[in-house]
Amino acid sequence: MKKIYFVRHAQATGQEPDAQLTDEGARQAEQLADFMENIGVEYIVSSPWKRAVRTIQPLAERRHLQVYTDLRLQERVLCRDHLDHWLDVLEQTYLDEDLKLEVFATTE
């Protein structure tokens, strides 16, 4: 019987699609590879967002597997602008699944 494992990305620097893993996130990715290295993973699919791919890359390298990406796995975009308090906003999405941030146009 095949098994499917779902893994959320490791700690990242922000919510943007190109946000990098933090140093702690890189350690978490290596720990994930240690944990999953010998459980028979045969295929890896990831969100195309950099932090997701970088989280699973150490395991893919150890298992000599390609990381396939699928747009359907990308995260919901909370805001197109950088949010210094993005972790607080992310927490609010668990309390209100319909949360949408308003983007205000400014004119000078």
Side-chain angles (χ1 to χ4, degrees), residues 20-70:
Q20 298 288 333
L21 295 182
T22 62
D23 290 342
E24 176 62 20
R27 282 190 289 280
Q28 291 169 343
E30 289 296 331
Q31 291 171 335
L32 176 66
D34 292 343
F35 180 77
M36 296 189 80
E37 185 172 15
N38 295 312
I39 61 172
V41 173
E42 299 173 2
Y43 187 85
I44 298 173
V45 64
S46 172
S47 159
W49 290 19
K50 192 171 285 185
R51 62 183 173 269
V53 173
R54 295 278 168 89
T55 296
I56 204 62
Q57 194 65 49
L59 177 63
E61 290 171 2
R62 292 184 195 188
R63 301 280 303 160
H64 306 287
L65 296 171
Q66 179 176 344
V67 176
Y68 296 93
T69 59
D70 189 319

Side-chain angles (χ1 to χ4, degrees), residues 7-12 14 21 28 51-53 55 75 86:
V7 177
R8 190 173 193 282
H9 64 78
Q11 186 181 74
L21 295 182
Q28 291 169 343
R51 62 183 173 269
V53 173
T55 296
E75 295 179 28
W86 67 274

